Amino acid sequence: QVQLVESGGGLVQPGGSLRLSCAASGSIFRIYAMGWYRQAPGKQRELVARIISGGSTNYANAVKGRFTISRDNANNTVYLQMNSLKPEDTAVYYCNVINGVTMASIWGQGTQVTVSS
């Protein structure tokens, strides 16, 4: 079985930074994509950033230029560096991994990010 362990969430002031981490463990031979989604109260879950096996990335327009996604393939870990945080970034952030063999989608437990003074 595959499990995702998230860390790095918390409370930060506007303009501050946070770095989220998500480590995948278990019998994964190949990962197609790793990414982050977020969901704020009363809103739909949305893609924040994703990195695909070949290295290409996708970002939500709202976070372009402020967030950076990266990966450590040796440790099956994905990171989300969040800079210049805004109150509207407040949400629960979920790690997502797509198995490159089965195309199954795996979700982390979610970590709260709150941007407020």
Side-chain angles (χ1 to χ4, degrees):
Q1 54 183 323
V2 179
Q3 293 182 332
L4 304 180
V5 180
E6 300 182 21
S7 63
L11 174 65
V12 65
Q13 296 187 36
S17 298
L18 285 173
R19 190 191 192 202
L20 305 183
S21 299
C22 175
S25 62
S27 57
I28 301 179
F29 291 98
R30 185 164 66 92
I31 294 175
Y32 172 70
M34 298 180 286
W36 294 91
Y37 291 71
R38 68 185 182 186
Q39 187 169 23
K43 297 183 179 180
Q44 295 182 329
R45 186 174 299 186
E46 64 175 354
L47 173 69
V48 177
R50 184 173 69 170
I51 185 165
I52 302 175
S53 61
S56 62
T57 57
N58 302 110
Y59 293 93
N61 288 333
V63 308
K64 287 181 179 178
R66 299 188 297 119
F67 292 9
T68 302
I69 189 169
S70 61
R71 66 187 180 190
D72 180 349
N73 290 329
N75 295 303
N76 287 326
T77 302
V78 62
Y79 305 94
L80 184 67
Q81 179 66 46
M82 304 184 293
N83 298 326
S84 302
L85 283 162
K86 304 175 180 179
E88 49 263 45
D89 294 318
T90 297
V92 177
Y93 285 69
Y94 297 91
C95 179
N96 176 259
V97 170
I98 298 176
N99 188 305
V101 177
T102 66
M103 290 300 166
S105 183
I106 307 163
W107 293 93
Q109 79 281 1
T111 183
Q112 177 71 48
V113 172
T114 302
V115 184
S116 176
S117 59

